[in-house]
Amino acid sequence: MPEDPFPVKPDTNKYQALSFLVTHREYGFTPDVIAEQTEISESSASNTMERLFEKELVERSDSAYYVDPDRADKLKRRLESLDSAVQLFESAPSDDAYAKEGWEDELPSIDTTENW
């Protein structure tokens, strides 16, 4: 069975909170502190952290959330992968031939039996 997609999308509260916790993996933070250190509103911080906890991306001790040190590097790589995908998408030209309908019909054949 294929692995479930990573439940964090770029430019979301979950992404910001998880990135903050991965960067500061040696500490635990309350939702209020996470809100202060990110662009997450105080009213959304608790819900965001609870969702990350439910998805088993962060751990919780009392009211502080943190990243499991054994998983921090894997989470960091996942976030970097998301960043790379966003950068690739944003750097693609807006007049890209693949953006128009029927682009696949204009590709040359890769049939190895054709004579060039």
Side-chain angles (χ1 to χ4, degrees), residues 28-31 59-66:
F29 298 91
T30 64
E59 304 295 324
R60 180 174 57 200
S61 176
D62 297 321
S63 62
Y65 292 88
Y66 62 96

Side-chain angles (χ1 to χ4, degrees), residues 97-98 100-108:
Y98 299 112
K100 66 182 181 180
E101 190 172 328
W103 65 267
E104 64 276 6
D105 296 330
E106 297 176 23
L107 294 176

Side-chain angles (χ1 to χ4, degrees), residues 77-97:
R77 285 190 302 275
R78 280 293 188 94
L79 293 170
E80 288 170 346
S81 179
L82 287 175
D83 290 340
S84 295
V86 167
Q87 288 172 359
L88 180 64
F89 179 77
E90 288 175 349
S91 68
S94 60
D95 64 344
D96 189 348

Side-chain angles (χ1 to χ4, degrees), residues 5-71:
F6 193 56
V8 176
K9 305 289 184 250
D11 298 322
T12 63
N13 288 346
K14 288 192 277 188
Y15 177 89
Q16 289 182 39
L18 188 57
S19 293
F20 174 77
L21 290 177
V22 166
T23 300
H24 304 284
R25 63 183 80 177
E26 61 277 355
Y27 305 105
F29 298 91
T30 64
D32 291 344
V33 172
I34 293 168
E36 289 173 14
Q37 299 297 315
T38 63
E39 296 179 10
I40 302 171
S41 70
E42 285 187 34
S43 60
S44 297
S46 291
N47 288 337
T48 298
M49 298 316 303
E50 188 58 33
R51 285 188 203 109
L52 289 172
F53 179 72
E54 289 170 359
K55 294 287 184 181
E56 300 178 352
L57 294 171
V58 299
E59 304 295 324
R60 180 174 57 200
S61 176
D62 297 321
S63 62
Y65 292 88
Y66 62 96
V67 171
D68 179 343
D70 294 334
R71 297 185 65 216

